[in-house]
Amino acid sequence: MLCLLLSFYQKPMSIFVPETSNNFDGLLLASNSIVSNMIKQFLAKIPRKSSKSNSPDADGGSSSSSTTTDVGNNGFINTYNAISSRLNSVKQMSSSIFPASIMSGGEMIDPHVPFKDVQNSDKLRLLISKLNLCSKLYDFHNQDQDSTEKDIKRQTLLEIIDFFSSESPKFSEPAMFAICKMCGNNLFRDFPPKRFSYSPRGEKEDEEPSFDPAWSHLQLVYEILLRFLSQSSVDPKIAKQYIDHSFILRLLDLFDTEDPRERDCLKSVLHRVYGKFMVHRPFIRMVVSNIIYRFVFETEKHNGIAELLEIFGSVISGFALPLKNEHKMFLLRALVPLHKPKSVGLYHHQLTYCVVQFIEKEPKLSSAVIKGLLKFWPVTSSQKQLMFLSELEELLEKIHTDEFEKIMVPLFQRINCCLCSTHFQVAEQAHFLWNNEHILHLIMCNRHVIIPIVYLSIEQNSQNHWSRTVLNLAQNMMKMLNDVDHELVLSCQGQSEEDKSKSTVVAERRRLTWERLENIAGFQPVVGSVSVLEETSACIVSC
């Protein structure tokens, strides 16, 4: 048994090193106690020397037995001392590698103590204490409840902000964990459901925004998180363990808040996270895409689409060329369908900026984007038509000739509908396209295809449109077309007159057909409640 015990304790001491540093001391103390108990139990079973002897033989036997026992006791005591010394050396080594202040966070300091009253070595522990104090939540719907504790928490948050501003601390892992935990406890919450209603312009009918009553604390928490992310001493490789996918997902869910002040803070925080943690960038893009998909194809209810698009405006400008398929799919499957919801007016400016950024990166995408724009073109909303026309003008300024030729026919068929719109602003905006030099150059290069499509609408507007502005614009366009290609104008006039004569013939035929139907109906005798034709005659209706 002695051999087994010695062989057990002669094994490498790495077996005493735990997998985690938090229970390292506990394991060492447990090992010491176990070894002591085992040796004591083993020695207790060995017979000891008797105090009295009854015979000489017993004296001789006891003498030899005593010698053997003493040798055994000395051997075990030496073994015990050797093992204890090795355990103590391992414990000392582990204390130097894993200090107690790191494994257990150190002795907590009273969070009410100011930073200036402690040594620099204790400031991180004081910071953790203050962060733990600020992790407690209070009910702000009742302002009189816990007013003293709320004031203490607010003052503590301000102290933390001053500490971040005045010093550049090198954050330990417990400090990073405490910061992320405090921010998560205060920020991550569920919002009550609310019904949305929009005006014809796509704006919310309730113009009064909803403000969070806990903003006095939330604002300071956002400031702490933003300053933490801005610290150059924060190593992204370590901080990513705490600002992980779960943290980012909950952060993106907060964009649905109704408080515009909070969405503005979230915009800054997310921009910092995207810039600092490159490993999280694909995940952020995927989550934002899913938010847009759900908004477009399911709910059409979200408060933070404009802020998310504003962030991605700067993100898209940093994309490397050539664009990845993932980025192209984001444009065609997420950004282009965002033109569909009725609330597009709330984020159209940011959406246009993102789309134009993509076209500047890769002009070949312009034709696909314009096709998508025509797919979601509004028919009954004149305000959305104005927004689409303004975006279309920006896209046509970036388009190349070969891409323009792919979509010019369906594009100017839609523009022709806008030229003859009864809404004067839509008609004005459509006429203004000819004032853009680049667009005019594209039109003139393909005038034999484009002018016949829009000539009739321009001619009618130049003769009798009720809006003076539209009338003048149409007359100027007719004059310009005559100066550029008079023969084409004459050809379009001839085609227009031919079309008018055909339409006149069709209208006359329709009038005669209805007259015949009325005459036939006038000769029908009524039998009971059923009318019967006396004579059946073929009637061809041509419309």
Side-chain angles (χ1 to χ4, degrees), residues 245-268:
H245 286 179
S246 177
F247 187 93
I248 293 173
L249 188 62
R250 297 292 302 274
L251 191 69
L252 286 168
D253 288 340
L254 294 176
F255 274 90
D256 200 19
T257 178
E258 296 181 8
D259 195 331
R261 303 169 300 179
E262 185 172 4
R263 295 200 301 268
D264 192 60
C265 291
L266 283 166
K267 183 174 59 177
S268 303

Side-chain angles (χ1 to χ4, degrees), residues 350-367:
Q350 294 84 354
L351 176 61
T352 302
Y353 180 78
C354 290
V355 173
V356 171
Q357 288 292 315
F358 266 108
I359 301 304
E360 289 181 349
K361 287 284 183 180
E362 193 163 333
K364 291 183 179 180
L365 295 171
S366 56
S367 59

Side-chain angles (χ1 to χ4, degrees), residues 444-485:
M444 290 298 105
C445 291
N446 300 276
R447 59 183 179 273
H448 294 283
V449 178
I450 296 174
I451 299 303
I453 298 175
V454 299
Y455 178 80
L456 182 60
S457 298
I458 297 174
E459 183 184 30
Q460 291 177 352
N461 289 341
S462 64
Q463 293 176 356
N464 56 3
H465 199 280
W466 65 270
S467 174
R468 188 65 183 176
T469 304
V470 175
L471 183 65
N472 293 334
L473 289 171
Q475 290 176 352
N476 293 335
M477 288 175 61
M478 288 295 298
K479 182 179 180 181
M480 178 190 63
L481 293 176
N482 280 302
D483 295 339
V484 172
D485 195 337

Side-chain angles (χ1 to χ4, degrees), residues 305-317 319 330-331 335 338 347-361 369 391 394-395:
I305 298 297
E307 286 77 11
L308 290 173
L309 291 177
E310 189 171 346
I311 295 171
F312 266 76
S314 58
V315 169
I316 293 168
S317 62
F319 284 163
F330 178 76
L331 169 66
L335 295 185
L338 273 175
Y347 55 83
H348 184 260
H349 177 72
Q350 294 84 354
L351 176 61
T352 302
Y353 180 78
C354 290
V355 173
V356 171
Q357 288 292 315
F358 266 108
I359 301 304
E360 289 181 349
K361 287 284 183 180
V369 171
E391 181 179 357
E394 293 190 39
L395 295 176

Side-chain angles (χ1 to χ4, degrees), residues 414-428:
R414 176 56 62 185
I415 292 177
N416 181 57
C417 295
C418 296
L419 288 171
C420 58
S421 173
T422 55
H423 196 286
F424 76 101
Q425 290 180 333
V426 175
E428 282 182 11

Side-chain angles (χ1 to χ4, degrees), residues 37 52 78 90 170 182 275 323 389 406 456 463 481:
N37 293 332
K52 295 181 180 181
N78 292 336
V90 171
K170 186 174 179 58
M182 186 275 293
L323 292 176
L389 285 171
K406 295 178 183 179
L456 182 60
Q463 293 176 356
L481 293 176

